[in-house]
């Protein structure tokens, strides 16, 4: 009964649904928007919080070998020299000497080879005005302190990982963890992308969920790499992302970053023109990062293996998820347009995993009289102490169900004529459309059970 | 039995405890640190998450009249013209023409009046070299897109509030909320402070928890102002902040911001030289913000009151908490050094509210033999599915208790010789030091009950 439209149809519909129902708004929209920056609305912020909490629970709270961290966005500028970002985190750009516009050197709208006399500017159309490509750093820079000069430049971090590397010994020593162990972090990162786009897929301000796992370089590090590959793929499956839309993509030697010994992306098939795209990277970074920070800071970043009286710089297995693009994958994955048997109107459903759904239950009096709104309001207040619920008494009941289906609410609780007589309610399942009558006193318990699965 | 040292003693001890036990580290410490920026370590990130979750639950999830939002840090630059930050968010600074250093005009180390011939530079000691005070904007600026010029300047938001104002209609229309209702947000903000300090009290990168409540200007807005004052003070009390260390401070007419009709700060007494300081502001902002954004964007930001067929720009009652300084207040409030009856060594305790404590229970085998570590490890694994717990088998049991007391862990579960025989354990209360023997199968239930209070 379900049909999945292919991208870009689904994407356009999602952008519209996301705005209309309060998942995602264009940032500073009343001022014409901020380029490739988005705001999460009332439902979006709950969906994202649920996603981040699932990651945090799985990666930190339910493990005894991973510690949490929340490092600042503003870091010492030497961090980015050590990491290689100052020298190497660049895109080649060309300038038009006539109209002063800038383009990526590989912009398909440029006719000819930039720098050559016959190359044509895609903006003003002039020939021979395009410069040779020059490297442009993608880090946002700002100035700390009262003077704006080169000594006061700091960057907005382009990734959260470096906050973990520079705190490696602080975390290890304060927690007394022994290698192998990991450090996990959720936080904002910023990249001044030249060609961002595809809604929240590639944005200039985004959120990462990263974990660096420190292992003995003389030990079974490739086994840990395989372990984390499997763990992370399983995590995406448990979110409800469909098996056939998930795959590993192995970086071939040309693709492999200079610091990486092995790298796999977990890709999700967004459909249409976007197709399979990375939602997470699982990378074997060797001792590149800790080694560089040792070199640039002059501080030892060695682990002391007491039983064996050895000191070494651990290898790092990294798992790095984009929270925003995983959220987009969840929306694409969940979106369905359906015909419902016996109804004229179709419905739009977001079949989100109940644990991720922003609202857990709608509470509806069948009609606005005979004590039903009072009983429903009381029930909604009670439920709200445990879960986000939405009370709705306006319009036909079918329309109220469909409004909740469209935002992914997994359960609908209806108070009808029988309810006020015998203190029972019906509970409707978003996906099966089955309704079941239960005692009103059991609603919290039944919802809790179903949400826990 | 408890004695509270006064600030600055407590603050110095807290800075040291926070680093040693993994609450808070200096940012980029291996590079000599980043000025007034701090990283939250494994215990700090949990404490902060618990604090933010308490606020989010109280302000958003348990209410039906407040919606959540997560707006981006990078906003359209016109936002800050409308808000008044471009023109007015400044500190007066003076330059020394000799040594090129900058100072706040009110720096107590400056001798004489800046600009006057006898004024003396506090750095190089020269006379008559200090400039007249000039205004310096406290917003961090950066450039979006490939060209660094005035047209591409964007700012790191100095407050989260404006993200709420510019999204007022997006949120109202997508949720169908009716005035009065609120919008709440947790997020980072940045201020290029000239004299930050006092640990995490005033930092350049910090986190706010803000709520803007929209009310009818022709209605009972002063009652709503009083309502939120009372609600917010009660929230701080429920965190465990001591009654006698909390007070309201009313802004007098000179103190009142240009946009405010009335303003109260909720202050906490940090002790010593810091004394009573603001942790939250409750401000009546009138229609200043929405009015300015209407003017600068050219877009109507009016609410349509359908039953009365009226359109108006709502008044705003704002509640704005600093997450970091509330966390500091919690640490100051919780810190105790005690002598324990019958023990030679004293103990340090963080008497944090159990719902805020980073670790909920320590799990300890009394000795490392006779099956106790096995039973304790099993129990710790089971508990970890529900709460953050810490397993510790190393050292004397008294020392293990004290290590957990020092980080605020409210309960200690000990597996002793009797445990392996009859499947019971003891549960020790951090504050009363009372121990009680319960069935091992009941630990989850008992902890859940005690943590819920």
């Amino acid at each position: 009964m379900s049909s999945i439209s292919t991208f870009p149809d689904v994407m356009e519909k999602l952008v519209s649904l996301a705005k209309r129902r309060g998942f995602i708004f264009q940032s500073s929209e009343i001022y014409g928007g901020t380029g490739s920056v988005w705001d999460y609305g009332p439902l979006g912020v709950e969906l994202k919080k649920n996603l981040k909490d699932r990651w945090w629970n799985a990666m930190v709270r339910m493990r005894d070998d991973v510690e949490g961290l929340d490092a600042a966005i503003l870091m010492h500028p030497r961090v980015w020299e050590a990491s290689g970002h100052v020298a190497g985190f660049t895109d080649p750009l060309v300038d038009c000497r006539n109209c002063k516009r800038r383009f990526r050197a590989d912009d398909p709208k440029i006719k000819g080879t930039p720098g050559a006399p016959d190359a044509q500017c895609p903006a003003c159309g002039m020939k021979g005005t395009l410069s040779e490509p020059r490297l442009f750093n993608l880090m946002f820079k700002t100035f700390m302190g009262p003077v704006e000069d080169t000594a006061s430049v700091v960057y907005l971090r382009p990734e959260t990982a470096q906050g973990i590397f520079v705190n490696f010994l602080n975390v290890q020593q304060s927690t007394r963890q022994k290698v192998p162990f990991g450090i996990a972090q959720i936080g904002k990162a910023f990249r001044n992308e030249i060609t961002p786009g595809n809604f929240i897929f590639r944005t200039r301000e985004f959120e990462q969920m990263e974990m660096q796992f420190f292992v003995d370089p003389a030990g079974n590090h490739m086994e840990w790499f395989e372990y984390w590959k499997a763990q992370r793929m399983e995590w995406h499956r448990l979110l409800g992302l469909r098996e056939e839309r998930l795959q590993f993509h192995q970086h071939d030697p040309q693709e492999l970053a200079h610091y990486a010994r092995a790298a796999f992306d977990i890709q999700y098939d967004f459909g249409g023109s976007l197709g399979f795209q990375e939602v997470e990277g699982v990378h074997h970074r060797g001792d590149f990062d800790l080694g560089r920070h040792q070199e640039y800071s002059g501080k030892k970043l060695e682990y002391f293996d007491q039983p064996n009286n050895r000191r070494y710089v651990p290898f790092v297995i990294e798992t790095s998820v984009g929270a925003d693009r995983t959220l987009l994958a969840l929306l694409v994955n969940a979106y369905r347009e359906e015909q419902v048997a016996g109804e004229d109107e179709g419905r739009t459903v977001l079949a989100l995993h109940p644990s991720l759904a922003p609202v857990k239950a709608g509470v509806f009096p069948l009609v606005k009289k005979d004590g039903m709104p009072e009983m429903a309001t009381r029930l909604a207040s009670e439920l709200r102490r445990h879960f986000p619920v939405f009370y709705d008494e306006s319009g036909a009941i079918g329309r109220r169900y469909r409004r909740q289906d469209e935002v992914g609410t997994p359960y609908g609780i209806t108070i009808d004529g029988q309810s006020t007589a015998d203190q029972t309610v019906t509970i409707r399942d978003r996906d099966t459309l089955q309704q079941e009558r239960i005692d009103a006193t059991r609603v919290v318990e039944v919802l809790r059970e179903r949400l826990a699965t």
Side-chain angles (χ1 to χ4, degrees), chain A:
Chain A
M1 78 183 186
S2 95
S3 79
I4 314 291
S5 313
T6 51
F7 188 95
D9 277 342
V10 163
M11 199 61 92
E12 277 165 27
K13 286 172 177 175
L14 279 175
V15 173
S16 156
L17 170 66
K19 175 177 173 171
R20 185 165 42 83
R21 300 304 307 272
F23 282 92
I24 299 162
F25 308 125
Q26 193 185 9
S27 172
S28 308
E29 190 189 359
I30 61 170
Y31 289 99
T34 308
S36 288
V37 179
W38 300 86
D39 294 348
Y40 287 88
L43 295 179
V45 64
E46 291 294 337
L47 175 56
K48 198 172 185 189
K49 184 172 183 353
N50 292 338
L51 175 65
K52 291 191 287 183
D53 282 351
R54 266 188 83 110
W55 188 86
W56 193 257
N57 285 336
M59 297 296 281
V60 181
R61 288 195 171 171
M62 292 178 69
R63 301 187 65 103
D64 60 358
D65 61 352
V66 177
E67 301 288 342
L69 183 74
D70 184 12
I73 289 167
L74 301 175
M75 301 183 73
H76 196 286
R78 287 279 283 171
V79 168
W80 308 110
E81 293 173 28
S83 70
H85 283 82
V86 168
F89 190 53
T90 52
D91 264 354
L93 297 187
V94 301
D95 289 292
C96 173
R97 279 183 293 269
N98 181 48
C99 71
K100 313 291 180 201
R101 298 279 298 278
R102 265 192 185 168
F103 312 91
R104 269 180 73 125
D106 59 0
D107 190 322
K109 296 190 301 296
I110 295 177
K111 297 197 181 76
T113 306
D118 63 339
Q120 195 174 329
C121 172
C124 68
M126 287 280 277
K127 266 190 185 167
T129 57
L130 291 181
S131 71
E132 298 270 346
R134 278 182 306 198
L135 294 175
F136 166 75
N137 199 291
L138 297 179
M139 286 194 290
F140 282 98
K141 78 174 183 200
T142 185
F143 305 95
M144 188 177 278
V147 186
E148 288 183 12
D149 61 15
T150 50
S152 66
V153 166
V154 294
Y155 301 96
L156 306 194
R157 65 178 174 200
E159 62 176 31
T160 56
Q162 302 302 325
I164 287 178
F165 296 129
V166 300
N167 278 301
F168 164 65
L169 279 189
N170 269 338
V171 172
Q172 190 269 320
Q173 289 167 355
S174 61
T175 61
R176 302 186 294 158
Q177 282 280 4
K178 290 178 178 53
V179 166
F181 78 98
I183 306 177
Q185 180 172 218
I186 298 178
K188 288 268 176 97
F190 299 81
R191 295 179 187 179
N192 197 0
E193 301 276 0
I194 306 304
T195 51
N198 287 313
F199 197 23
I200 56 168
F201 181 77
R202 190 185 305 279
T203 56
R204 292 191 169 123
E205 173 176 341
F206 56 101
E207 203 154 15
Q208 294 187 307
M209 307 191 286
E210 294 200 317
M211 193 276 305
Q212 273 73 31
F213 201 76
F214 300 90
V215 295
D216 186 341
N220 51 351
H221 50 92
M222 285 313 296
E223 279 170 42
W224 277 111
F225 182 64
E226 293 302 324
Y227 168 85
W228 280 112
K229 269 177 61 188
Q231 283 283 313
R232 295 305 309 150
M233 180 60 98
E234 181 63 10
W235 184 81
H236 288 279
R237 282 197 200 104
L238 290 174
L239 294 181
L241 291 181
R242 266 168 286 176
E243 184 103 30
E244 69 275 16
R245 290 188 156 216
L246 285 166
Q247 70 179 21
F248 279 115
H249 164 76
Q250 180 170 14
H251 289 212
D252 63 33
Q254 287 80 41
E255 230 177 330
L256 215 55
H258 57 283
Y259 53 74
R261 298 185 161 229
F264 281 80
D265 293 339
I266 296 174
Q267 296 185 328
Y268 176 78
D269 184 2
F270 290 83
S273 63
L274 208 50
F276 275 100
Q277 294 288 343
E278 176 188 357
V279 288
E280 174 155 3
V282 181
H283 297 172
H284 189 322
R285 301 178 68 120
D287 58 6
F288 175 79
D289 307 276
L290 292 180
R292 292 275 286 200
H293 285 301
Q294 278 203 152
E295 187 188 334
Y296 279 71
S297 71
K299 300 273 165 41
K300 286 275 175 226
L301 291 175
E302 289 174 339
Y303 172 74
F304 178 50
D305 173 4
Q306 207 156 10
N308 298 306
N309 197 27
R310 278 173 64 217
R311 285 181 196 278
Y312 59 83
V313 175
F315 277 3
V316 169
I317 313 296
E318 166 181 272
T319 73
S320 172
V321 201
D324 309 271
R325 60 173 63 174
T326 302
L327 191 145
L328 182 60
L330 289 168
L331 291 176
V332 168
N333 191 74
Y335 187 88
R336 285 175 173 67
E337 292 176 6
E338 295 181 345
Q339 284 302 321
V340 179
E343 285 189 25
D344 286 345
E345 267 186 85
R347 66 166 190 164
T348 299
V349 193
L350 282 187
L352 291 168
H353 190 292
S355 76
L356 295 170
V359 178
K360 303 307 182 191
V363 181
F364 314 113
L366 185 63
V367 291
K368 240 197 285 193
K369 58 180 183 182
D370 300 337
M372 293 178 217
E374 292 77 6
M375 183 177 168
T377 308
R378 270 199 312 277
L379 181 62
S381 299
E382 191 200 327
L383 296 178
R384 198 171 285 119
R385 289 166 43 215
H386 306 275
F387 329 96
V389 300
F390 185 77
Y391 174 81
D392 192 1
E393 59 176 34
S394 65
I397 187 73
R399 200 163 153 229
R400 283 180 271 163
Y401 285 150
R402 283 193 293 275
R403 276 204 291 255
Q404 291 307 305
D405 289 343
E406 191 184 48
V407 299
T409 306
Y411 303 106
I413 314 290
T414 305
I415 286 76
D416 58 13
Q418 187 179 333
S419 302
T420 51
D422 69 1
Q423 302 295 309
T424 61
V425 300
T426 62
I427 177 166
R428 171 187 180 267
D429 184 289
R430 174 197 68 200
D431 301 327
T432 65
L433 302 175
Q434 297 299 307
Q435 301 205 20
E436 195 184 329
R437 188 168 287 276
I438 61 173
D439 284 345
T441 53
R442 288 193 55 232
V443 177
V444 169
E445 176 196 336
V446 169
L447 284 179
R448 186 171 278 152
E449 265 168 31
R450 297 194 184 181
L451 291 168
T453 56

